[in-house]
Amino acid sequence: MQARNGKPLPIKRTCMSLSNSAAIDLVSMLPGEPGRSMLIIYDNGEITDGSERERAFKKKLSPYVLFVRSGQFSDVYPGLSDAVLSIEVVCSLPPTEGMKSIAGMHSRGVSNLFLPVNISEEVEFRRKMGLPGVRRSVEN
């Protein structure tokens, strides 16, 4: 992926999961929509208890808002600093009703920031983004 200035964007590899609340899982431009970018949260299914999963999800959302509000997003991705942002949540298991009830995150303060939150299952997200289907390994 390249920024608007043609330079490659830095790629940081992290463990993508709800339990890693300090990490921004992935940043991507929205295919076919220049000027739109996504901050992606990946729910890899490691937390199966619904209440625990919702708590971890809510805890993971706050650093995403802080990442944008603090200016870190613009510093790390200067070519995307003018992009319209959203938080896309990709779930390997169906999202809970509590997760689906969060439509966006507000940050009152200097920027009065609002980030829409869109939640989808992994198969649906991959189809929407034009990505190949999910391949699951089967253990014998």
Side-chain angles (χ1 to χ4, degrees):
M1 182 184 312
Q2 293 184 339
R4 289 184 186 147
N5 63 6
K7 294 182 180 177
L9 294 173
I11 297 174
K12 295 181 180 179
R13 304 241 183 251
T14 61
C15 175
M16 297 189 300
S17 75
L18 292 181
S19 61
N20 189 358
S21 63
I24 303 299
D25 293 342
L26 192 62
V27 175
S28 178
M29 294 184 291
L30 196 60
E33 294 191 44
R36 289 219 35 227
S37 294
M38 307 174 285
L39 303 173
I40 300 174
I41 293 176
Y42 183 64
D43 174 6
N44 66 3
E46 73 180 346
I47 302 172
T48 56
D49 177 74
S51 297
E52 187 180 334
R53 190 171 167 212
E54 286 176 20
R55 274 191 299 278
F57 172 58
K58 289 175 185 175
K59 186 176 179 181
K60 181 106 178 171
L61 283 169
S62 294
Y64 277 65
V65 174
L66 182 60
F67 180 60
V68 175
R69 187 185 73 207
S70 69
Q72 288 179 320
F73 174 79
S74 294
D75 291 345
V76 176
Y77 302 99
L80 302 177
S81 62
D82 293 331
V84 175
L85 293 173
S86 63
I87 298 173
E88 302 294 322
V89 183
V90 181
C91 301
S92 62
L93 301 173
T96 67
E97 290 302 314
M99 291 169 76
K100 291 191 285 188
S101 72
I102 298 175
M105 293 292 292
H106 289 277
S107 174
R108 295 183 192 0
V110 178
S111 64
N112 199 24
L113 175 69
F114 176 77
L115 294 173
V117 175
N118 303 307
I119 301 176
S120 58
E121 289 187 48
E122 186 171 2
V123 172
E124 174 189 351
F125 179 82
R126 294 178 77 78
R127 185 175 42 249
K128 186 169 59 174
M129 295 298 127
L131 300 170
V134 179
R135 292 190 186 111
R136 303 235 186 252
S137 62
V138 178
E139 294 183 26
N140 294 338

